[in-house]
Amino acid sequence: LDFGIELDDDVLRSRYVKENDPHLVAPNNVITGATVRTSRGGTKPIEFVGELKIRKKQQLDRLDEISLRNLGISSISADGTEYGHIQGIDLSGNLLYDWNEVMLLLEKFPSLEELNLSSNVLRDIVNDLNDKNDD
C-alpha cells in the first residue's frame, strides 16, 4: 500500500539538479562506462556534450513551469516562498486525493496560472471542502 510522499522543498530540488552539483552525468562530456560498438567492431565512448548548458536552463529560480509527474505526491508542504515565480505545475499521475491539499498548493504558489492534476485520485470536491468548513 503506497500512501505517497509529501511535496516539500527537497522533492522540488531533487527534481531539478543544482547548476554546481558535483555529480555530473558526463564529466568531461563522456558518460562514464558507456560505450557503443563501431562498424569496425571496436568500441567508442558515448559523449554527452552540453550537460552544463542544459543544467543552466533547468534551475528552479529560472523556470516558469515545472513538472512533478508520477512522483507519488499525496500531500503538500513545500514552502513556496522562493517559488513564487512558478506559473505552471504538472502534477499529473500522482496520489493527490484531498482538494484541501490543492487549495494549499494554490496558496503556496501565488503566481500559478496552470495546474495539471490529471490522473490523480481526487475525491469529490464538495465533500472535501465541506469537511474543511466543519473544522
Side-chain angles (χ1 to χ4, degrees), residues 59-71:
Q59 299 307 299
L60 271 172
D61 59 342
R62 295 185 184 147
L63 295 174
D64 294 332
E65 297 182 6
I66 58 175
S67 176
L68 302 168
R69 302 181 102 190
N70 302 314
L71 295 179

Side-chain angles (χ1 to χ4, degrees), residues 8-113:
D8 58 16
D9 292 335
D10 291 336
V11 170
L12 283 167
R13 288 190 192 105
S14 71
R15 190 78 167 134
Y16 296 91
V17 180
K18 292 195 178 278
E19 191 173 346
N20 58 358
D21 190 325
H23 304 291
L24 293 172
V25 172
N28 301 317
N29 293 329
V30 175
I31 299 177
T32 307
T35 60
V36 292
R37 192 161 299 280
T38 66
S39 60
R40 295 186 179 170
T43 59
K44 184 173 181 161
I46 297 175
E47 296 182 25
F48 180 22
V49 179
E51 180 177 8
L52 294 175
K53 189 174 181 181
I54 291 169
R55 277 188 182 199
K56 259 185 194 174
K57 293 181 180 185
Q58 291 181 331
Q59 299 307 299
L60 271 172
D61 59 342
R62 295 185 184 147
L63 295 174
D64 294 332
E65 297 182 6
I66 58 175
S67 176
L68 302 168
R69 302 181 102 190
N70 302 314
L71 295 179
I73 295 169
S74 60
S75 61
I76 310 296
S77 76
D79 182 13
T81 55
E82 64 184 281
Y83 311 115
H85 63 285
I86 301 291
Q87 296 175 352
I89 300 177
D90 182 355
L91 281 166
S92 60
N94 280 290
L95 299 172
L96 288 168
Y97 63 92
D98 187 342
W99 281 101
N100 294 313
E101 294 294 327
V102 176
M103 299 304 286
L104 182 61
L105 181 81
L106 295 174
E107 290 173 15
K108 294 188 179 265
F109 293 87
S111 299
L112 207 58
E113 295 177 7

